[in-house]
Amino acid sequence: MKKKILILGSTGSIGKTTIEVLSKDKKNFKIILLSTNKNSDILIKQAKTFKVKNLIIIDKSELYKAKKKYKNLRINFFNNFEIIKKLFKKKEIDYSMVSVVGLDGLRPSLLLPKYSKSLAIVNKESLLSGWTLIESELKKYKTKFIPIDSEHFSISSLLNSSTQKNSIEKVFITASGGPFLNYSKKMLRKVTIKDALKHPNWRMGNKITIDSSTLMNKVFEVIEAKNIFNLSYNQISVLIHPDSYAHALLKFKNGPIKLLLHEPDMKIPIQNSIYDLDSKKLKTKEINFQILNNLRFKFVNEKQFPLIKI
C-alpha cells in the first residue's frame, strides 16, 4: 500500500523540498492533494509528475487562469482548504505537510488532525497564534505532530519520551546570524533588500530569509519552542552559531547535555518526518570535524539584533 500524502504550499521552498524527497521513492507514495497560492504552472508540473487529481489554488484569478489553460487535464480544481472535509475520510491521509505562508496556514492546521495520521507543520504563524487550538485537535484525534523547523525537529529528536520534557533545565536554539552578523551599525544603515536575501547557509523563501537577517525569525522560533514543548521563556536561550551545523542543545536537570547536528539542509528533517526516523538512506556529506572542533557558540548581541529582546 502506498502512503497517502497531502502537501499544502507545495510550490514554496519547503513544499518543493518535500516533493524532491518523495520523487526519489515514488513507488511508496501517492500524493492525493497539493496546493498553491499563485504558482499554478509549478503546481501543474508537480501534479503531472505524481498524477495528482486534486489541486487547491487560493488566488481566484490564478485559479480561473489554470482551469482555462489546463482544461484538458483530468484534474479537480478547488479554491479553499474546506474542501478537505469533503474529499477525505477520517484518518485517510498518512502524512500531511502544512507549509503555507502566513495566517492562511492556521485553518488547514486545525482541519487536518481529523483526516491525517501525522501532521508536519512548518507554518510559524499558525504555531504562534493558534497552538492551543491545534494541540487540542491533535489530542482529540490522536494525530502525531511533527515540527519541521530544524531547531524544533532537533529538540524533538533529542527527547526520548514525553516524560523527558519535565526534566529539561535549559534549551538553546541556534541562529547563524544571517548575512549581517559581522556588520557594524554604520554598515547596517546602507543595506538593501538584496543584501538581506543573501543568507549564508540556508536556501529559503523571501519572507523567512528577511526575518532571519534581523533575527525576527528566531523570536518566532523561541515562541514556537515554548508552545510545542511546554517550556517557560526562562528555559530558552538563543546562541549564535555561524555555521548552522548545530541546531539545538538540551541541558537536563540531572546533568547530561545533548546536542544535535546536521548539515543546513531541510531535506534532513523533512525526510526523517516522512519516514518516521527509520533507516531510509539520505545521501549527506561526511561529518565536518573542522566545524565540530570550532563550533563558535556565543550569545546574541542585543545592540546588533535588538528584535531578540522581544
Side-chain angles (χ1 to χ4, degrees):
M1 286 283 289
K2 289 187 175 185
K3 280 189 176 182
K4 292 181 178 179
I5 307 289
L6 176 149
I7 307 170
L8 303 183
S10 65
T11 61
S13 174
I14 294 294
K16 286 178 179 176
T17 304
T18 307
I19 291 283
E20 188 180 342
V21 169
L22 294 173
S23 66
K24 291 178 169 59
D25 193 18
K26 286 168 67 176
K27 67 180 185 297
N28 286 316
F29 298 104
K30 179 180 175 60
I31 299 179
I32 53 177
L33 187 142
L34 297 171
S35 88
T36 188
N37 183 31
K38 290 186 175 182
N39 297 315
S40 61
D41 290 334
I42 297 173
L43 189 73
I44 294 295
K45 188 177 179 180
Q46 293 173 339
K48 286 179 178 177
T49 302
F50 282 90
K51 299 178 182 177
V52 185
K53 300 299 180 187
N54 299 307
L55 302 179
I56 297 174
I57 301 175
I58 299 298
D59 184 87
K60 287 186 178 179
S61 61
E62 190 73 9
L63 173 70
Y64 297 141
K65 186 178 82 174
K67 276 185 172 181
K68 185 178 180 181
K69 187 175 180 179
Y70 300 106
K71 61 183 178 182
N72 295 326
L73 297 179
R74 293 182 178 179
I75 288 175
N76 302 312
F77 289 98
F78 304 101
N79 184 235
N80 61 71
F81 299 123
E82 299 300 317
I83 196 65
I84 290 168
K85 295 189 287 187
K86 295 182 180 179
L87 290 176
F88 307 113
K89 298 174 185 175
K90 188 177 178 180
K91 294 300 173 191
E92 182 181 350
I93 308 164
D94 293 294
Y95 174 96
S96 297
M97 166 69 81
V98 179
S99 60
V100 178
V101 175
L103 280 172
D104 289 344
L106 180 56
R107 183 57 184 153
S109 296
L110 293 172
L111 278 173
L112 282 166
K114 182 177 180 178
Y115 303 97
S116 190
K117 294 170 187 172
S118 61
L119 179 59
I121 300 179
V122 76
N123 174 263
K124 284 179 167 56
E125 289 80 5
S126 62
L127 293 174
L128 265 63
S129 66
W131 172 249
T132 53
L133 302 173
I134 296 168
E135 186 179 36
S136 175
E137 294 299 297
L138 291 168
K139 288 178 179 177
K140 181 178 178 181
Y141 295 106
K142 296 180 172 62
T143 301
K144 181 181 179 182
F145 169 69
I146 310 165
I148 297 297
D149 267 340
S150 63
E151 295 80 7
H152 308 96
F153 165 79
S154 298
I155 296 168
S156 183
S157 299
L158 291 170
L159 293 171
N160 293 330
S161 66
S162 59
T163 55
Q164 266 204 306
K165 288 184 183 181
N166 299 323
S167 62
I168 293 174
E169 181 179 313
K170 194 81 175 179
V171 170
F172 298 90
I173 60 175
T174 63
S176 71
F180 305 138
L181 178 61
N182 299 312
Y183 275 45
S184 65
K185 267 191 174 182
K186 186 177 179 181
M187 292 166 71
L188 284 171
R189 292 192 189 102
K190 299 178 182 179
V191 299
T192 64
I193 293 173
K194 188 178 180 181
D195 295 328
L197 288 169
K198 291 178 181 176
H199 197 283
N201 301 333
W202 294 96
R203 288 187 300 109
M204 306 177 289
N206 286 350
K207 182 189 182 298
I208 192 171
T209 305
I210 293 292
D211 284 345
S212 293
S213 72
T214 63
L215 257 58
M216 189 68 221
N217 191 53
K218 210 53 53 176
V219 173
F220 293 156
E221 288 175 1
V222 168
I223 302 169
E224 279 183 81
K226 174 189 174 290
N227 290 346
I228 294 168
F229 301 104
N230 194 26
L231 301 167
S232 71
Y233 285 124
N234 290 333
Q235 288 176 285
I236 308 167
S237 288
V238 177
L239 291 176
I240 293 293
H241 169 53
D243 294 302
S244 298
Y245 200 58
H247 303 278
L249 293 86
L250 268 62
K251 185 177 188 301
F252 293 92
K253 293 173 184 175
N254 59 339
I257 299 167
K258 290 185 177 182
L259 167 67
L260 193 135
L261 310 101
H262 66 74
E263 293 288 337
D265 185 347
M266 285 307 295
K267 288 194 202 75
I268 294 169
I270 290 170
Q271 175 159 308
N272 280 282
S273 74
I274 292 170
Y275 288 96
D276 199 21
L277 298 173
D278 73 8
S279 59
K280 184 69 182 176
K281 188 177 180 182
L282 177 66
K283 188 176 181 181
T284 55
K285 298 176 183 177
E286 294 294 320
I287 297 172
N288 192 324
F289 289 102
Q290 187 175 348
I291 293 176
L292 273 177
N293 287 332
N294 187 18
L295 289 171
R296 297 189 290 166
F297 293 129
K298 63 179 181 179
F299 287 104
V300 179
N301 181 341
E302 292 184 355
K303 290 182 179 178
Q304 187 180 16
F305 297 103
L307 285 176
I308 206 72
K309 289 187 281 189
I310 293 173

